[in-house]
């Protein structure tokens, strides 16, 4: 699939959309027509060909009113812009965010702390040699934090302040 199928936006009751392809470069603005969408998965199938993945995702993705799960894998060209949008104006129901193997080197501070409701954050496979969690401490009651294979060199001291945290994965951080 090389283009977003325009017919999809007319599926008014669509709750889950999985787009796993190497050839699609753009998600159109019309995705906001999917007002019932709860889960969106944007994967580039081959992490060794990430230059062929998504290049554009509209900022309006944050306007999806029922979006609960956003999962982005192997799409580094959109990761920074997407994180910026989500930390500025998160979808009101977003509780799970996955940004796996997206080339993230720094986690931006949320700009609208009171609005974040994340319960699960998965940053597996990014190059986060150090991580400042303090800006995220007041944004959500994170229960799950996945930092596997992130090249972490130390454990963030702020972890001790995350009282709601139930699951923490620090596996495969060889420098810890």
């Amino acid at each position: 699939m090389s283009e977003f199928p325009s017919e999809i936006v007319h599926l008014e009751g669509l709750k889950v959309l999985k787009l796993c392809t190497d050839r699609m470069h753009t998600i159109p603005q019309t995705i906001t027509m999917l007002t019932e969408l709860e889960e969106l998965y944007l994967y580039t199938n081959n992490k060794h060909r990430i230059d062929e993945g998504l290049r554009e995702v509209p900022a309006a993705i944050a306007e999806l009113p029922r979006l609960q799960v956003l999962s982005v894998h192997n799409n580094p060209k959109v990761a920074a812009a997407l994180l910026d949008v989500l930390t500025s104006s998160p979808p009101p129901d977003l509780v799970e965010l996955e940004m796996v193997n997206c080339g993230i080197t720094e986690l931006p501070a949320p700009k609208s702390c009171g609005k974040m409701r994340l319960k699960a954050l998965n940053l597996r496979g990014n190059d986060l040699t150090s991580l400042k969690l303090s800006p995220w401490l007041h944004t959500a009651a994170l229960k799950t934090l996945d930092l596997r294979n992130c090249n972490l060199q130390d454990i963030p001291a702020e972890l001790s302040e995350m009282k709601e945290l139930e699951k923490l994965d620090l596996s495969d951080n060889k420098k810890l």
Side-chain angles (χ1 to χ4, degrees):
M1 182 175 10
S2 60
E3 291 187 22
F4 187 90
S6 59
E7 300 83 6
I8 288 177
V9 298
H10 300 292
L11 300 172
E12 294 174 3
L14 190 67
K15 294 192 182 297
V16 178
L17 177 57
K18 294 183 178 186
L19 297 170
C20 304
T21 178
D22 291 339
R23 297 176 298 160
M24 186 182 309
H25 299 300
T26 304
I27 302 295
Q29 184 80 18
T30 55
I31 196 167
T32 59
M33 293 172 63
L34 298 172
T35 57
E36 298 298 313
L37 193 65
E38 295 174 357
E39 299 179 22
L40 178 58
Y41 300 88
L42 303 172
Y43 296 176
T44 296
N45 292 330
N46 186 342
K47 73 178 185 179
H48 302 294
R49 294 176 55 198
I50 55 179
D51 57 319
E52 297 181 24
L54 284 173
R55 295 181 185 144
E56 268 184 72
V57 175
I61 206 164
E63 297 171 19
L64 290 167
R66 300 194 193 284
L67 190 65
Q68 297 172 21
V69 176
L70 177 59
S71 183
V72 180
H73 287 223
N74 305 321
N75 279 299
K77 292 188 178 185
V78 297
L82 194 52
L83 268 177
D84 191 50
V85 165
L86 294 172
T87 56
S88 297
S89 176
D93 290 341
L94 189 67
V95 292
E96 183 176 334
L97 176 61
E98 291 188 355
M99 301 288 286
V100 175
N101 294 322
C102 284
I104 299 168
T105 58
E106 183 176 83
L107 190 59
K111 297 169 186 79
S112 58
C113 293
K115 296 181 182 178
M116 296 288 280
R117 299 179 53 207
L118 285 181
K119 301 237 182 284
L121 180 60
N122 183 346
L123 298 170
R124 179 181 72 229
N126 287 292
D127 195 18
L128 299 165
T129 53
S130 65
L131 182 61
K132 292 193 75 69
L133 288 171
S134 54
W136 288 78
L137 292 177
H138 306 289
T139 63
L142 278 178
K143 294 190 178 298
T144 303
L145 181 58
D146 189 337
L147 299 171
R148 275 181 284 168
N149 194 27
C150 284
N151 295 319
L152 288 174
Q153 296 177 357
D154 52 30
I155 296 175
E158 302 97 339
L159 278 177
S160 63
E161 297 176 44
M162 301 180 88
K163 302 298 182 197
E164 302 292 321
L165 198 62
E166 295 175 358
K167 182 180 177 186
L168 173 63
D169 195 338
L170 295 169
S171 304
D172 299 321
N173 284 289
K174 294 172 179 43
K175 295 181 182 177
L176 280 180

